[in-house]
């Protein structure tokens, strides 16, 4: 993967916050590094990215992000190996998906070289912020939003592209308890569920809080029409293991084409694990839980990598999953993280050295 070199102007922060950070006790996404990358879209084109000190953004009250929600983002991570080398995991997939989201939200696409060269330059500047505590990494948040002004309901004429970093610990600790959602929907056919649009996540917060109030950690989203088929687990793709077969819902207008999801499917193929990408009925899940053929359920995404599910609830009944030795969840998490941290051979070409 090669991108052309460009001159990226760097304005260094006068002082660093790094000495104030306890890298052995990092929460997820609460601490931010000294610098960020910024590019502005004006007069029909993106400006060459610049690196500036991490700082607040000043926007006009009429900026269209506040009124019409043109906002998209990605989630990535950077890792350090034992030799202090910096690695990314499938970064061009994130770049391409950001632009797929941009197109759907009528946002101008960011040039791939701006994304990659800007990201590499920022990583080299902030390399000391990449934690090496087990389970930790440098979370990377590229995002684009409408900065142009006006109350007219139309796409903005100006946008900002920013990459910001947050050294982070594990997203989830332990297994999660989920509730199958029957009233609210995450997305609909023809909608923006496949895009990483900010509004997708805002719409999840209320029904998720209702589930939390009932003692669950997250919801399992079902299809918007019948609520008969499971589709995602919170903000993650969902996998189900019945006997020795791995099941996951096919991507669609409603379901995000997750990079961790794609990686799991490839590893499963490589390991000879039977996989079915198809609709998974709630009734099938309950039947499998009752007859003992349901071995595992887990969410998959960049932040958590793999998040095992211990219990799912449906219509006031909880179904506990068994403790499965040599679980697929553990196998996939180890294989992916070993590649990410450069602890094992990468036969897939996913690891990218900065």
């Amino acid at each position: 993967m090669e991108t052309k070199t460009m001159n990226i102007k760097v304005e260094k922060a006068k002082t660093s916050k790094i000495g104030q950070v306890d890298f052995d006790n990092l929460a997820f996404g609460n601490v931010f590094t000294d610098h960020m990358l910024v590019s502005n879209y004006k007069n029909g084109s993106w400006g060459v990215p610049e690196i500036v000190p991490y700082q607040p953004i000043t926007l006009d009250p009429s900026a269209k992000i506040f009124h019409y929600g043109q906002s998209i983002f990605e989630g990535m991570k950077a890792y350090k190996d034992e030799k202090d080398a910096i690695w990314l995991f499938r970064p061009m997939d994130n770049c391409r998906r950001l632009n797929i989201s941009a197109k759907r939200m009528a946002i101008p696409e960011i040039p791939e070289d701006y994304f990659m060269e800007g990201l590499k330059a920022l990583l080299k500047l902030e390399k000391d912020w990449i934690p090496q505590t087990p389970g930790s990494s440098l979370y990377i948040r590229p995002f684009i939003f409408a900065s142009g002004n006006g109350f007219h309901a139309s796409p903005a004429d100006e946008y900002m592209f920013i990459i910001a970093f947050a050294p982070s610990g594990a997203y989830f600790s332990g297994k999660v308890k989920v509730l199958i959602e029957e009233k609210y929907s995450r997305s609909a056919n023809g909608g923006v569920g496949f895009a990483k649009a900010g509004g997708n996540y805002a719409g999840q917060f209320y029904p998720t809080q209702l589930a939390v109030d009932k003692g669950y950690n997250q919801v399992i989203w079902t299809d918007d029409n019948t609520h008969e088929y499971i589709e995602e687990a919170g903000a993650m793709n969902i996998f189900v293991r019945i006997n020795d077969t791995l099941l996951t819902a096919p991507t669609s207008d409603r379901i995000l084409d997750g990079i961790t999801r794609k990686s799991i499917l490839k590893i499963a193929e490589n390991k000879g694990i039977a996989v079915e990408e198809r609709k998974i009925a709630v009734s099938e899940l309950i039947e499998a839980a009752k007859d003992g053929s349901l071995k595992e359920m887990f969410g998959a995404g960049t932040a958590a990598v793999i998040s095992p599910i211990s219990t799912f609830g449906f219509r006031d009944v909880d179904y506990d999953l068994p403790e499965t030795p040599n679980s697929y969840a553990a196998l996939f998490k180890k294989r992916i993280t070993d590649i990410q941290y450069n602890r094992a051979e990468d036969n897939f070409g996913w690891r990218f050295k900065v």
Side-chain angles (χ1 to χ4, degrees):
M1 185 195 316
E2 294 293 334
T3 53
K4 66 183 181 183
T5 303
M6 65 179 67
N7 270 330
I8 296 176
K9 181 182 174 183
V10 177
E11 179 190 346
K12 289 190 176 181
K14 292 179 180 177
T15 58
S16 176
K17 302 169 291 190
I18 197 167
Q20 305 166 22
V21 178
D22 180 359
F23 282 89
D24 292 326
N25 293 286
L26 289 168
F28 186 88
N30 288 344
V31 175
F32 307 99
T33 66
D34 292 324
H35 301 87
M36 62 186 189
L37 183 91
V38 180
S39 175
N40 288 289
Y41 181 91
K42 293 182 178 181
N43 302 317
S45 64
W46 286 102
V48 175
E50 297 183 359
I51 293 174
V52 299
Y54 185 89
Q55 60 191 275
I57 300 165
T58 300
L59 293 172
D60 193 280
S62 68
K64 289 198 173 184
I65 176 57
F66 300 133
H67 308 279
Y68 303 113
Q70 279 183 288
S71 173
I72 57 173
F73 70 94
E74 274 296 321
M76 311 168 62
K77 289 178 178 178
Y79 313 84
K80 266 187 183 176
D81 64 19
E82 293 178 348
K83 296 181 179 179
D84 235 27
I86 302 170
W87 300 92
L88 294 167
F89 184 73
R90 307 186 70 165
M92 283 302 298
D93 286 311
N94 290 101
C95 181
R96 294 187 192 104
R97 192 172 63 182
L98 184 69
N99 281 331
I100 289 170
S101 298
K103 186 174 182 179
R104 180 61 182 87
M105 299 300 290
I107 293 172
E109 297 177 32
I110 192 77
E112 288 185 355
D113 56 330
Y114 283 23
F115 183 102
M116 285 303 302
E117 287 298 304
L119 176 57
K120 289 192 292 183
L122 189 59
L123 280 169
K124 289 173 182 176
L125 181 63
E126 305 283 63
K127 63 183 184 298
D128 292 341
W129 283 87
I130 303 174
Q132 290 181 284
T133 304
S136 298
S137 58
L138 185 70
Y139 187 76
I140 300 169
R141 174 53 60 88
F143 59 104
I144 305 175
F145 64 91
S147 56
N149 303 335
F151 291 149
H152 187 269
S154 60
D157 58 358
E158 295 183 3
Y159 297 85
M160 289 187 74
F161 168 62
I162 295 176
I163 300 179
F165 294 162
S168 297
Y171 189 70
F172 287 122
S173 58
K175 294 187 176 182
V176 296
K177 183 179 178 181
V178 298
L179 177 67
I180 294 178
E181 177 60 52
E182 287 194 278
K183 178 179 179 181
Y184 298 98
S185 297
R186 177 188 172 273
S187 57
N189 287 330
V192 298
F194 68 92
K196 284 191 74 73
N200 288 345
Y201 298 80
Q204 295 183 36
F205 295 155
Y206 176 67
T208 300
Q209 186 57 51
L210 295 179
V212 170
D213 291 343
K214 293 178 181 178
Y216 298 89
N217 304 107
Q218 264 296 352
V219 298
I220 290 183
W221 301 105
T222 51
D223 68 288
D224 65 305
N225 187 26
T226 67
H227 294 289
E228 292 178 5
Y229 300 95
I230 66 170
E231 294 198 332
E232 291 202 345
M236 298 179 288
N237 295 117
I238 189 165
F239 285 85
V240 174
R241 176 184 173 184
I242 295 180
N243 291 319
D244 289 333
T245 300
L246 188 67
L247 311 176
T248 193
T251 55
S252 66
D253 287 348
R254 303 186 306 276
I255 297 176
L256 187 73
D257 186 14
I259 292 165
T260 306
R261 175 189 181 276
K262 289 192 288 192
S263 303
I264 287 170
L265 293 176
K266 194 67 180 177
I267 292 167
E269 177 189 338
N270 183 256
K271 294 285 188 182
I273 294 170
V275 174
E276 294 179 11
E277 291 184 72
R278 62 167 174 84
K279 290 182 176 181
I280 307 166
V282 176
S283 58
E284 179 184 8
L285 202 61
I286 291 169
E287 184 180 343
K290 288 179 176 178
D291 69 20
S293 60
L294 179 62
K295 304 300 183 186
E296 294 180 71
M297 292 172 60
F298 54 89
T302 297
V305 186
I306 302 286
S307 186
I309 293 168
S310 61
T311 302
F312 74 88
F314 181 70
R315 295 182 181 175
D316 298 322
V317 178
D318 283 347
Y319 299 87
D320 295 325
L321 277 81
E323 289 286 341
T324 302
N326 303 314
S327 70
Y328 287 175
L331 183 155
F332 294 133
K333 184 168 186 176
K334 185 177 189 307
R335 186 72 183 96
I336 290 172
T337 55
D338 280 351
I339 291 172
Q340 290 170 335
Y341 287 93
N342 194 29
R343 294 191 295 246
E345 188 175 357
D346 175 14
N347 299 318
F348 307 104
W350 293 338
R351 194 164 51 218
F352 176 86
K353 189 173 184 179
V354 176

